Amino acid sequence: MADIIFINGAFGAGKTQTTYELARRLRNVHIFDPEEAGYYIRRCLPDSMKYSNFQDHPEWRSINNQMLRSFVDYDGIILAPMTIIRTDYWHEITDNVPVKRHIVLNLSKDELRRRQHKRFEGKNSFAAQMANECIAAYERFPTEIPDALLLDCDKLSISETAERIADECGLSLSPRFNPISSMIYRIRVTTGHIR
């Protein structure tokens, strides 16, 4: 059975970079990106039927639930990075899914804004507009989703965040890249995820 590790957090918190850092330093790992189903739905629907947030499509939640269930026979680690702030959506996509850990990259508003600015997210970007809603949602998670682990990341680098997640999940990581190789790797990850 797969060990499914869900990496949640606000837009710009570092989910993708952390996920790829973990994947690079673990063995027998697969990255499952729930966003891909959203892009598929957007391509298939006429504009008049599209929601501004593809998570609001029941099909998105259903597809991801079915995909996560399909990993039951995978003998390895599944890393799933995705911003999810609605608890009903979380329960819907993880219904009957054995999630090993649900990690939330938790940031202060100032640090989140700094990270968004680093990736050229302006104050009118979707990520910036959603910041307050994400922070408020994660404050409710200890009550609404008690098994979610809020990992305070304000002072953690990507490598340190990955190492904390590995510790929480009982995983052994290979050594870090040297700083130059790390920078090149992160640039590749970033450019590979420009939508």
Side-chain angles (χ1 to χ4, degrees):
M1 183 188 304
D3 286 332
I4 299 173
I5 301 170
F6 210 100
I7 301 175
N8 199 344
F11 302 96
K15 297 179 304 299
T16 300
Q17 291 287 355
T18 299
T19 297
Y20 276 81
E21 177 72 6
L22 282 164
R24 184 189 67 74
R25 297 172 64 185
L26 289 168
R27 292 183 181 180
N28 203 22
V29 65
H30 175 75
I31 297 173
F32 170 68
D33 187 350
E35 280 192 343
E36 293 297 333
Y39 299 129
Y40 168 76
I41 289 166
R42 281 193 178 152
R43 283 193 303 272
C44 292
L45 290 177
D47 289 344
S48 62
M49 294 179 66
K50 293 177 186 174
Y51 292 118
S52 59
N53 183 347
F54 55 63
Q55 291 186 16
D56 293 332
H57 288 280
E59 296 85 358
W60 180 83
R61 302 188 300 277
S62 176
I63 289 168
N64 280 300
N65 176 261
Q66 290 299 315
M67 289 299 298
L68 287 165
R69 286 185 190 195
S70 74
F71 293 125
V72 69
D73 294 326
Y74 178 71
D75 184 23
I77 299 164
I78 301 293
L79 300 175
M82 186 71 210
T83 299
I84 297 186
I85 58 174
R86 287 191 48 170
T87 54
D88 54 338
Y89 288 4
W90 167 256
H91 291 301
E92 199 171 335
I93 71 166
T94 60
D95 182 43
N96 288 319
V97 174
V99 175
K100 177 177 178 147
R101 282 316 299 247
H102 175 196
I103 308 285
V104 179
L105 306 185
N106 198 35
L107 299 168
S108 66
K109 186 174 182 180
D110 287 343
E111 177 61 16
L112 178 58
R113 190 69 203 110
R114 188 188 71 75
R115 292 187 188 194
Q116 289 173 345
H117 183 71
K118 248 177 109 172
R119 44 181 251 176
F120 305 106
E121 298 276 2
K123 64 181 179 181
N124 294 321
S125 68
F126 180 76
Q129 291 175 8
M130 291 295 295
N132 289 338
E133 194 172 339
C134 289
I135 290 168
Y138 299 138
E139 287 174 355
R140 296 191 304 269
F141 269 28
T143 303
E144 296 178 0
I145 309 176
D147 60 344
L149 172 67
L150 273 66
L151 183 62
D152 291 327
C153 299
D154 271 16
K155 297 180 180 178
L156 298 179
S157 68
I158 295 297
S159 295
E160 290 167 337
T161 301
E163 289 159 5
R164 287 283 303 278
I165 291 171
D167 286 346
E168 290 291 340
C169 297
L171 303 171
S172 296
L173 298 180
S174 65
R176 296 181 188 185
F177 277 162
N178 65 57
I180 293 173
S181 296
S182 289
M183 182 180 67
I184 292 168
Y185 182 74
R186 292 201 178 110
I187 289 169
R188 285 183 181 159
V189 170
T190 299
T191 55
H193 285 82
I194 294 172
R195 309 282 193 206

